[in-house]
CSV table of all heavy atoms in Angstrom, one decimal:
chain,number,residue,atom,x,y,z
A,254,ASP,N,-23.9,-4.5,-9.8
A,254,ASP,CA,-23.9,-5.9,-9.1
A,254,ASP,C,-23.8,-7.0,-10.3
A,254,ASP,O,-24.6,-6.9,-11.2
A,254,ASP,CB,-25.2,-6.1,-8.4
A,254,ASP,CG,-25.2,-7.2,-7.4
A,254,ASP,OD1,-24.4,-8.1,-7.6
A,254,ASP,OD2,-26.1,-7.2,-6.6
A,255,HIS,N,-22.8,-7.8,-10.1
A,255,HIS,CA,-22.7,-8.9,-11.1
A,255,HIS,C,-23.3,-10.2,-10.6
A,255,HIS,O,-23.4,-11.2,-11.3
A,255,HIS,CB,-21.3,-9.2,-11.3
A,255,HIS,CG,-20.9,-10.3,-12.2
A,255,HIS,ND1,-20.5,-11.5,-11.8
A,255,HIS,CD2,-21.0,-10.4,-13.6
A,255,HIS,CE1,-20.3,-12.4,-12.8
A,255,HIS,NE2,-20.5,-11.7,-13.9
A,256,SER,N,-23.8,-10.3,-9.4
A,256,SER,CA,-24.4,-11.5,-8.8
A,256,SER,C,-25.8,-11.7,-9.3
A,256,SER,O,-26.4,-12.8,-9.0
A,256,SER,CB,-24.4,-11.4,-7.2
A,256,SER,OG,-25.3,-10.5,-6.8
A,257,THR,N,-26.4,-10.9,-10.1
A,257,THR,CA,-27.7,-11.0,-10.6
A,257,THR,C,-27.8,-12.0,-11.8
A,257,THR,O,-26.7,-12.3,-12.4
A,257,THR,CB,-28.2,-9.6,-11.2
A,257,THR,OG1,-27.4,-9.3,-12.3
A,257,THR,CG2,-28.3,-8.6,-10.0
A,258,THR,N,-29.0,-12.4,-12.1
A,258,THR,CA,-29.2,-13.1,-13.3
A,258,THR,C,-29.3,-12.0,-14.4
A,258,THR,O,-29.4,-10.8,-14.1
A,258,THR,CB,-30.4,-14.0,-13.3
A,258,THR,OG1,-31.6,-13.0,-13.1
A,258,THR,CG2,-30.4,-14.9,-12.1
A,259,THR,N,-29.3,-12.4,-15.7
A,259,THR,CA,-29.5,-11.4,-16.8
A,259,THR,C,-30.9,-10.8,-16.6
A,259,THR,O,-31.0,-9.6,-16.9
A,259,THR,CB,-29.3,-12.1,-18.1
A,259,THR,OG1,-28.0,-12.6,-18.3
A,259,THR,CG2,-29.6,-11.2,-19.3
A,260,GLU,N,-31.8,-11.5,-16.2
A,260,GLU,CA,-33.2,-11.0,-16.1
A,260,GLU,C,-33.2,-10.0,-15.0
A,260,GLU,O,-33.9,-8.9,-15.1
A,260,GLU,CB,-34.2,-12.2,-15.8
A,260,GLU,CG,-34.4,-13.1,-17.0
A,260,GLU,CD,-33.2,-14.0,-17.3
A,260,GLU,OE1,-32.4,-14.3,-16.3
A,260,GLU,OE2,-33.1,-14.5,-18.4
A,261,GLU,N,-32.6,-10.3,-13.8
A,261,GLU,CA,-32.6,-9.4,-12.8
A,261,GLU,C,-31.8,-8.1,-13.1
A,261,GLU,O,-32.1,-7.0,-12.6
A,261,GLU,CB,-31.9,-10.1,-11.5
A,261,GLU,CG,-32.8,-11.1,-10.8
A,261,GLU,CD,-32.1,-11.9,-9.8
A,261,GLU,OE1,-30.8,-12.0,-9.9
A,261,GLU,OE2,-32.8,-12.5,-8.9
A,262,ALA,N,-30.7,-8.3,-13.9
A,262,ALA,CA,-29.9,-7.1,-14.3
A,262,ALA,C,-30.6,-6.2,-15.1
A,262,ALA,O,-30.2,-5.0,-15.2
A,262,ALA,CB,-28.7,-7.7,-15.0
A,263,ALA,N,-31.8,-6.6,-15.6
A,263,ALA,CA,-32.6,-5.7,-16.4
A,263,ALA,C,-33.6,-4.8,-15.6
A,263,ALA,O,-34.4,-4.1,-16.1
A,263,ALA,CB,-33.3,-6.4,-17.6
A,264,THR,N,-33.6,-5.1,-14.3
A,264,THR,CA,-34.6,-4.6,-13.4
A,264,THR,C,-33.8,-3.8,-12.2
A,264,THR,O,-32.6,-3.7,-12.2
A,264,THR,CB,-35.5,-5.6,-12.8
A,264,THR,OG1,-34.8,-6.4,-11.9
A,264,THR,CG2,-36.0,-6.5,-13.9
A,265,GLY,N,-34.6,-3.4,-11.3
A,265,GLY,CA,-34.1,-2.7,-10.1
A,265,GLY,C,-34.1,-3.6,-8.9
A,265,GLY,O,-34.0,-3.0,-7.7
Side-chain angles (χ1 to χ4, degrees):
D254 195 340
H255 177 259
S256 70
T257 62
T258 64
T259 297
E260 292 73 24
E261 290 171 334
T264 71

